[in-house]
Amino acid sequence: MAAGGLITSLMLNEEYVVHVLGFKRSTLNEGRYNMGLQQEIFEAHLLAEGWFSSGVDWLKDKGVKGIDAIKDKSYEVGNAIKQYGADIKGVVAGLTAMVNDPEEAKEYKTGIFGSIRTWPKSLGKQLIGMAKWMEERNMPTFAKALRKIVELVGSLWKKATGAAGWLGGVSMMAVGLAVRYIEEEFGVLEKAKAVKSMLSNPGEIIDAIAGSEAAEEGIEQIQDFFAGNISEVIEGSDLYKKIAGFLEEKLGFLETIKEKFVNAAQKIVGGALEQFAGPIAWIKKLVELFQSSNWVVSNLSRMMTKISI
């Protein structure tokens, strides 16, 4: 990367400022002589340059040969895996190269976005359907909890998709990892679909109640409620508590979404990336969150070569 004064030759490259640093082209053109904007560009450039330099220095410390290749703006991120291996060295080389090439930064954000975009939509659809079901049956506490999860997932998704430039590409990788992790470990989308299907089908609910630990007592009354034979239940009553216990058992995956997806991903996407000194610090945080260095590195490596999760 170029170094030097406030406005370097690299920073004057419009494609770099738009696709790597993440500034809107219209804003850049309209504010070309705005010193405030130039300062923002400078600070964004320093952040990207710091990430790049950190990656290069780490590779040098590890004795990796031929790292000058990643300094070439035409170098493809996927080639880092082929050249340096699918282990941590190749992943660091790829993450380092990403902040040096406008087209690469753009391609990774859009590519990974395309491979995971249906997940939040599908999950949201199931949860909103459940919330409406709860509202129709005067169970506002459950409805509120469901809508809160939808809001949290939507907010995180907005943060990730809203991040521009290289921060957007790395953010999308982080969300991709989080989606893969929560599905591999907990299968939350299938659980959400199963509960939504159950609530829409009285027969499925009755079968589920029969096998529920939370509904061992008063099973006939609970079945009558879900079958529509009891139209109203007073909140706080014994029957309400039994129904609530059954629903809490079935909706246990909501806490998993909050803790293992939303709370985890918020620490590694968007503006949160600015806290990391470089790719190694970011990878260490991923390992801390997902509890396996091999899993993190292998999945990042796969994303870099396939540009999908």
Side-chain angles (χ1 to χ4, degrees):
M1 281 191 172
L6 179 61
I7 304 298
T8 68
S9 59
L10 180 58
M11 290 176 68
L12 289 175
N13 182 317
E14 188 167 301
E15 296 306 304
Y16 169 77
V17 176
V18 171
H19 294 304
V20 173
L21 300 188
F23 288 82
K24 292 182 180 179
R25 197 180 301 274
S26 58
T27 302
L28 182 66
N29 292 330
E30 292 168 4
R32 189 173 295 278
Y33 303 105
N34 182 321
M35 288 308 296
L37 176 62
Q38 296 301 331
Q39 182 64 27
E40 289 180 31
I41 293 173
F42 175 59
E43 292 173 358
H45 174 61
L46 286 182
L47 181 65
E49 194 167 58
W51 177 282
F52 181 86
S53 298
S54 174
V56 169
D57 290 344
W58 184 87
L59 292 168
K60 284 181 179 178
D61 288 344
K62 296 301 178 182
V64 176
K65 304 297 183 183
I67 59 175
D68 283 344
I70 64 176
K71 297 179 182 180
D72 187 338
K73 287 197 295 179
S74 64
Y75 188 81
E76 295 184 5
V77 170
N79 286 341
I81 304 302
K82 299 174 185 176
Q83 182 173 349
Y84 304 107
D87 59 6
I88 184 76
K89 294 176 183 177
V91 169
V92 170
L95 289 169
T96 301
M98 187 179 292
V99 301
N100 200 29
D101 185 352
E103 288 304 315
E104 290 284 299
K106 181 181 178 182
E107 184 177 8
Y108 273 81
K109 180 180 178 181
T110 56
I112 296 172
F113 168 76
S115 73
I116 61 175
R117 64 188 301 177
T118 60
W119 186 85
K121 288 183 179 180
S122 184
L123 180 65
K125 180 180 179 181
Q126 309 308 316
L127 299 184
I128 289 172
M130 290 182 228
K132 289 180 179 178
W133 189 95
M134 302 293 178
E135 288 162 351
E136 290 169 357
R137 287 156 182 79
N138 196 29
M139 306 188 84
T141 301
F142 286 100
K144 184 178 180 180
L146 286 158
R147 291 192 180 277
K148 182 62 178 178
I149 294 296
V150 173
E151 179 185 329
L152 289 172
V153 172
S155 176
L156 175 63
W157 185 245
K158 184 177 180 180
K159 180 187 293 185
T161 56
W166 73 274
L167 288 173
V170 177
S171 291
M172 203 54 64
M173 281 188 168
V175 173
L177 278 180
V179 169
R180 190 174 189 87
Y181 174 76
I182 200 171
E183 286 303 326
E184 283 185 0
E185 293 294 317
F186 306 103
V188 296
L189 183 56
E190 286 306 312
K191 288 179 179 178
K193 288 180 178 179
V195 174
K196 174 63 169 57
S197 174
M198 178 194 73
L199 294 178
S200 302
N201 188 329
E204 287 187 29
I205 296 179
I206 290 172
D207 290 340
I209 292 169
S212 170
E213 294 182 5
E216 287 182 353
E217 297 182 7
I219 189 169
E220 291 184 0
Q221 282 185 302
I222 299 173
Q223 288 176 333
D224 283 341
F225 170 77
F226 284 108
N229 298 327
I230 298 177
S231 58
E232 187 174 340
V233 177
I234 299 173
E235 187 167 359
S237 66
D238 287 343
L239 178 56
Y240 183 93
K241 291 176 181 177
K242 290 172 183 176
I243 293 170
F246 168 72
L247 291 174
E248 286 171 357
E249 180 184 292
K250 295 301 176 184
L251 296 174
F253 66 90
L254 294 180
E255 191 61 28
T256 299
I257 296 173
K258 181 181 177 183
E259 293 298 324
K260 302 295 184 180
F261 179 72
V262 175
N263 290 353
Q266 283 178 339
K267 300 173 183 177
I268 48 177
V269 304
L273 285 167
E274 296 179 11
Q275 69 181 298
F276 300 108
I280 280 295
W282 184 69
I283 291 171
K284 285 181 178 179
K285 187 63 177 181
L286 294 175
V287 172
E288 177 189 321
L289 292 172
F290 302 125
Q291 300 295 301
S292 170
S293 58
N294 288 337
W295 185 89
V296 168
V297 171
S298 64
N299 277 284
L300 284 175
S301 175
R302 179 164 51 241
M303 271 193 261
M304 287 179 181
T305 52
K306 294 185 177 180
I307 316 184
S308 70
I309 68 165

